[in-house]
Amino acid sequence: MPEFQSVRGFHDIYGEELKKFRYLSNLIREKLRLYNFEEIVLPVVEYVEVFQRSIGEATDIVQKEMFTFQDRKDRWLALRPEGTAGAVRAYVQNRLYALKPYVKLFYEGPMFRYERPQAGRYRQFHQLGAEVFGSLEPVVDAELIGLVYEILSELGVKVVIEINSIGCKVCRPAYRDALSAYLAGVEEHLCEVCLDRKDRNPLRVLDCKVPTCKSAVKDAPKMVNFLCEECREHYSKLKEYLNAMSIPYRENPNLVRGLDYYTKTVFEAVSEELDITVIAGGRYDYLVEEMGGPPTPAIGFAVGLERLSMLVKSLPPEDPLYLVIPFGDVLPYALQVAKALRAEGKRVEVSYKKGGLKKQLELANKIRADYAVIVGEEEMAGGFYTLKDLNSGIQTRVEFSPAF
Ligand code: HAM
């Protein structure tokens, strides 16, 4: 084993995985462009309070998953565990609300959480997230979920979109109380973590994965039955719009999400096959104000790129690859051929390997070239090159005169 290893949970991304990443990122960016989102590049490091205030003191992320450190002036900083908190901080700090009635932003980059690494779970992972600031209308929720559905359909991945409403300041307190009371009655079936959660953050007990907790909350009161008039109306409009757009979804009354800032609509795209959530989001109508901005309802989602990559089975075929093979004292001419082919938009490598035809064809095979462009002294003298289709073996002579 080499002396130096990457840090646990931090991985190198290359080869096929990176191709999937870039493919996903381009596809999602193109969708976001069609919905008129604008990119924002956010810092990887923020003051720790940005996350404590937004994600919530009682959440797993803030309590035990943040990478924090002190700078030289003893201020506590954190590597961002997610993008929404920083986006809200930036929205408020840069007074983006002054520009337009509502603002649609997206960001992409690494996030950091000190979680136990496992398949699809890393300590450095990548998200592409989108946020809409400034509208309380359920049409925004419907459009965002529609956008998520479009991404998933275009990729052809098998994922279910789950939705729920977790209410607002008006209706959630009564639900919290009802849930806490219920949980007190099933205490003996709860895991240790949930025993701790049941008073501080009872909603989180609803999505505990421990089987005894799962069955203990089966008959728990449901938030949907506690929604106030406004939240009920919002949720029913959302479903009406989703139905109108033929977007399939499943209502999951136990969907609560692990971050405290959510209100009303929450949603997740879940792969049942792998038992993972690949895209998640929801509304956070109070967060901008809590972070010092004007009251601004907002909603967003983030795609976990590592997770979504796991579901993408194949990539669209790449452009054909040309390998230019110089034989003899012909390099200047061969370079001109390569330059001309690239100028036509072709993907071209010049062989850096010395050796005869057999060695060169071995190289072509290894780099998975589709065409060999053979350039020998005869070719140079005659003003052409020999194009060999490596799949069919057919050779053709292509006239060539350097244009430069
Ligand atoms: P989240 O559910 O914490 O939400 O993360 C969103 C997605 O990031 C997850 O569904 C998953 O695909 C991916 N993810 C999270 N943790 C890891 C990990 N350790 N390794 C690999 N992938 C991971 C948020 O972060 C919210 N900011 C989403 C949002 C945006 N809500 C509103 N706007």
Side-chain angles (χ1 to χ4, degrees), residues 133-153:
F133 296 98
S135 175
L136 190 57
E137 295 300 321
V139 61
V140 190
D141 312 34
E143 274 226 309
L144 282 192
I145 294 172
L147 168 55
V148 165
Y149 177 67
E150 275 179 30
I151 293 168
L152 297 168
S153 318

Side-chain angles (χ1 to χ4, degrees), residues 82 84 113 115 120 122 127 131 257 261-262 277-278 300 304:
E82 57 108 52
T84 308
R113 296 185 195 175
E115 292 190 86
Y122 300 93
Q127 285 186 346
E131 316 286 352
R257 314 274 303 117
Y261 47 64
Y262 290 113
T277 298
V278 291

Side-chain angles (χ1 to χ4, degrees), residues 61 81-85 107 113 115 120-127 129-131 257-259 261-262 268-269 277-284 299-308:
I61 296 180
E82 57 108 52
T84 308
Y107 49 83
R113 296 185 195 175
E115 292 190 86
R121 202 201 283 152
Y122 300 93
R123 291 183 173 170
Q124 175 176 333
F125 59 97
H126 297 78
Q127 285 186 346
E131 316 286 352
R257 314 274 303 117
L259 304 92
Y261 47 64
Y262 290 113
E268 286 191 357
T277 298
V278 291
I279 303 178
R283 268 198 172 274
Y284 45 97
I299 176 167
F301 68 84
V303 180
L305 290 173
E306 281 83 356
R307 299 244 180 119
L308 192 53

Side-chain angles (χ1 to χ4, degrees), residues 12 55 82 187 196 209 245 253 308 341:
D12 303 310
I55 298 169
E82 57 108 52
E187 244 176 33
D196 181 48
K209 300 278 181 281
M245 293 191 288
L308 192 53
L341 288 170

Side-chain angles (χ1 to χ4, degrees), residues 23-123:
Y23 167 64
L24 287 177
S25 165
N26 290 338
L27 186 143
I28 299 166
R29 280 167 173 269
E30 177 54 18
K31 282 271 170 271
L32 289 164
R33 191 185 71 79
L34 298 177
Y35 280 74
N36 203 31
F37 278 79
E38 258 184 62
E39 184 167 10
I40 181 165
V41 177
L42 296 163
V44 170
V45 169
E46 300 273 358
Y47 290 113
V48 93
E49 293 81 10
V50 169
F51 303 115
Q52 288 168 335
R53 184 75 70 81
S54 55
I55 298 169
E57 292 282 2
T59 58
D60 288 350
I61 296 180
V62 167
Q63 288 214 326
K64 44 184 195 222
E65 293 173 2
M66 274 207 293
F67 282 89
T68 55
F69 56 98
Q70 278 178 294
D71 71 4
R72 288 169 197 230
K73 296 220 166 97
D74 292 339
R75 285 170 297 218
W76 279 100
L77 308 179
L79 295 181
R80 60 180 181 193
E82 57 108 52
T84 308
V88 172
R89 196 266 313 131
Y91 176 81
V92 174
Q93 179 178 345
N94 300 300
R95 300 169 54 86
L96 300 183
Y97 46 84
L99 303 177
K100 295 177 196 159
Y102 48 83
V103 175
K104 298 160 87 166
L105 299 176
F106 79 89
Y107 49 83
E108 180 175 10
M111 308 289 160
F112 304 85
R113 296 185 195 175
Y114 200 94
E115 292 190 86
R116 183 197 291 272
Q118 60 180 54
R121 202 201 283 152
Y122 300 93
R123 291 183 173 170

Side-chain angles (χ1 to χ4, degrees), residues 347-363:
R347 197 156 60 100
V348 181
E349 272 205 36
V350 173
S351 170
Y352 298 156
K353 212 174 159 66
K354 288 214 165 82
L357 188 61
K358 189 161 171 272
K359 278 223 162 94
Q360 298 296 345
L361 291 179
E362 272 169 23
L363 170 67

Side-chain angles (χ1 to χ4, degrees), residues 167-175 223 226 228-231 286:
C168 68
K169 271 185 184 158
V170 175
C171 49
R172 203 177 317 151
Y175 173 64
M223 183 67 229
F226 283 74
C228 61
E229 186 58 39
E230 186 192 302
C231 287
Y286 308 125

